[in-house]
Amino acid sequence: GESVGLHLPTLSVQEGDNSIINCAYSNSASDYFIWYKQESGKGPQFIIDIRSNMDKRQGQRVTVLLNKTVKHLSLQIAATQPGDSAVYFCAENTQYGNKLVFGAGTILRVKS
Amino acid sequence: EPEVTQTPSHQVTQMGQEVILRCVPISNHLYFYWYRQILGQKVEFLVSFYNNEISEKSEIFDDQFSVERPDGSNFTLKIRSTKLEDSAMYFCASSETRGVKAFFGQGTRLTVV
């Protein structure tokens, strides 16, 4: 039978603008968070990660912000490029866990 | 750059048949995982494996599923009797450290007909 996918939130940005992708988590025991980028037909690609003892971490053109008080994570992409178009997933893990629990994902569309 | 490789890229099988999905994790990694993604949905955890045994598994990973590390390089997922609802992309991942910074392969698209 036909499978019905989730209707993912979509963020459309103009090339060169900054993008902010948000993620809420519910497990207060989670202490490790990671962002993945997934292009069509490919596996998730690691972008950046952060532990709960930090509230900000920067990479090349990307920044992850963690607000443990409201259980919120965000990924900021500076100067967004067409090649950034993809689905972005946040994932979390607990201190002694050995699995990543993925969020639903956000579609990022970059307009040229 | 080291990467996780998976074979085959696409597998079509008849309902009730057994399938084995193969993965070669990154060579210095010690933790191995299988995830699956039904079309258009989020990535779901199936099982994690360390030191030749399962360390965690999800409700999806029932008696029809098994994993094995038959030699020093391969990591396999076997589905004994496939069902239509097993159709999905299956991703293998590996990490150096427990539960963090997992690197994913390109996936095997399993189609059960």
Side-chain angles (χ1 to χ4, degrees):
Chain A
E2 183 181 340
S3 64
V4 178
L6 293 173
H7 291 286
L8 299 181
T10 300
L11 176 65
S12 292
V13 299
Q14 199 65 38
E15 181 179 358
D17 287 351
N18 297 334
S19 303
I20 300 176
I21 300 170
N22 296 303
C23 180
Y25 66 95
S26 57
N27 187 355
S28 53
S30 291
D31 84 331
Y32 172 80
F33 305 89
I34 187 168
W35 281 99
Y36 285 97
K37 172 187 180 183
Q38 188 178 30
E39 295 173 285
S40 182
K42 296 188 177 180
Q45 178 187 353
F46 170 81
I47 302 173
I48 193 167
D49 57 358
I50 189 168
R51 286 211 174 269
S52 61
N53 60 351
M54 302 173 71
D55 52 24
K56 180 179 179 178
R57 193 165 184 221
Q58 288 185 287
Q60 189 176 18
R61 269 200 319 120
V62 294
T63 301
V64 55
L65 297 177
L66 174 62
N67 184 330
K68 294 180 288 293
T69 304
V70 296
K71 298 194 187 70
H72 184 267
L73 188 69
S74 67
L75 175 71
Q76 299 178 0
I77 304 173
T80 315
Q81 301 166 1
D84 294 328
S85 294
V87 179
Y88 288 79
F89 291 98
C90 65
E92 60 191 282
N93 191 10
T94 56
Q95 184 177 9
Y96 300 110
N98 197 17
K99 67 180 183 187
L100 291 170
V101 177
F102 279 74
T106 296
I107 300 170
L108 176 64
R109 291 206 173 102
V110 182
K111 298 174 284 188
S112 298
Chain B
E1 185 176 310
E3 58 180 19
V4 176
T5 57
Q6 291 186 242
T7 54
S9 55
H10 192 187
Q11 172 95 45
V12 181
T13 189
Q14 294 223 320
M15 192 167 53
Q17 295 296 303
E18 174 184 287
V19 293
I20 298 176
L21 310 183
R22 300 178 193 279
C23 169
V24 178
I26 294 172
S27 62
N28 64 330
H29 286 183
L30 301 176
Y31 298 85
F32 314 119
Y33 314 87
W34 284 100
Y35 289 81
R36 80 171 186 191
Q37 186 178 33
I38 294 170
L39 184 64
Q41 299 191 19
K42 65 179 179 181
V43 178
E44 299 176 290
F45 169 76
L46 292 178
V47 65
S48 55
F49 191 85
Y50 170 71
N51 200 26
N52 279 321
E53 59 184 31
I54 290 172
S55 53
E56 286 195 57
K57 61 182 181 179
S58 71
E59 292 174 354
I60 303 167
F61 194 88
D62 61 21
D63 292 346
Q64 293 301 308
F65 291 86
S66 62
V67 289
E68 192 178 28
R69 186 150 165 83
D71 54 43
S73 59
N74 290 283
F75 180 51
T76 62
L77 174 70
K78 182 194 290 187
I79 309 174
R80 278 185 247 292
S81 177
T82 49
K83 302 186 282 283
L84 292 175
E85 53 265 39
D86 293 328
S87 295
M89 281 289 281
Y90 286 81
F91 293 108
C92 174
S94 68
S95 64
E96 218 174 329
T97 311
R98 181 184 178 91
V100 303
K101 203 168 181 178
F103 289 87
F104 283 73
Q106 293 299 298
T108 293
R109 179 172 298 284
L110 176 65
T111 303
V112 182
V113 297

